[in-house]
Amino acid sequence: MAALLGLFLVPLTKKTYFPKVLTYFIGLAIGTLFSNAVLQLIPEALGLDPKDDNYVLNVVGIFGGFYILFFTERVLKMVLKADTEVRLGHSHFPPLQSTDVTITTFSNDSNNPSESPAVEQNACVLTCRWLKGEGMSNIKTVAWMITVSDAVHNFIDGLAIGASFTLSLLTGFSTSIAIFCEEFPHELGDFVILLNSGMSVGQAACFNLLSAMCCYLGLALGILLGSSFAPNAIFAIAGGMFLYISLADMFPEMNSIMATHSKGFRGRVAFFLVQNAGLFTGFTVILLITLFAGDINLG
């Protein structure tokens, strides 16, 4: 589902408010991934129980230490007007205001790019030639790198989901919520990258969906492995990956969007409040699930 959401949300990337919406979902993903790792996956790997070992408050302290530094750094940068960093290298979120992608997508068969394509030609490109197209050989290498790496990523996500469901339904749903919140902005960013790399809308949707389907392979393997022996090792690996994805991958992306699209002091404050809303929403959801795990009956 997350892989196909980009198909419907690409027109919204031209809206002025879209960077704030995307920032909220990235903050939500960071909060859910971080809290799922420190509240559930890593404690499960260590054999801890939230009711018997009373580790939840200590873990809240971990999030508190993380947030104190985040808050201090962000406020200092806003006050000192030092928030002008530009993130170099690979980014899952290229410039959101670009409108060239959809135009070139619909004009693959046009000999004159300056002419507006007819509605019938658009329908033919999207239905009859949605997968093959003339630009298949001209697609940039980064598109295939993104597709393959995303397939491996989704396979490991499925592995974590499968192992979590063998432990309990609640743990499985909690892990699934965290992964979905992370995949929503991640898949949207991948979709935009595939379009910018020369793929048509249909091609981007197809390959994005195929890479997402690898999650089912990981799910099946995770269930088999989790049913055969204690899945503590899988939880430990998944917890480490969730921490890396949230703090080393998505957190810089969130700051990069703020640095790129915020204008003036008020703009930076607005983005900062949106970041906080996403972070606290994600952390609170997983925290409540952990606290009331013994009182929730899923059947």
Side-chain angles (χ1 to χ4, degrees), residues 155-178:
F155 176 82
I156 298 176
D157 284 345
L159 196 66
I161 293 175
S164 298
F165 271 111
T166 61
L167 187 66
S168 69
L169 284 177
L170 189 62
T171 303
F173 278 116
S174 177
T175 303
S176 301
I177 291 172

Side-chain angles (χ1 to χ4, degrees), residues 37 42 235-245:
I42 295 177
F235 291 140
I237 294 173
M241 291 188 60
F242 281 16
L243 288 177
Y244 179 84
I245 293 171

Side-chain angles (χ1 to χ4, degrees), residues 2-10 92 101 146 185-197 199-206 208-209:
L4 293 178
L5 283 176
L7 185 63
F8 303 99
L9 294 180
V10 164
H92 285 165
V101 175
I146 287 292
H186 180 84
E187 294 291 351
L188 177 60
D190 286 348
F191 194 86
V192 176
I193 288 178
L194 295 181
L195 291 178
N196 285 334
S197 300
M199 285 189 178
S200 67
V201 173
Q203 289 171 338
C206 176
N208 216 26
L209 181 61

Side-chain angles (χ1 to χ4, degrees), residues 17 21 33 45 47 88 146 149-150 185 191 204 210 212 221 271 280 288:
Y17 58 80
V21 175
L33 286 174
L88 302 177
I146 287 292
S149 62
D150 203 29
F191 194 86
L210 288 177
L221 182 60
F271 268 94
F280 279 107
L288 291 177

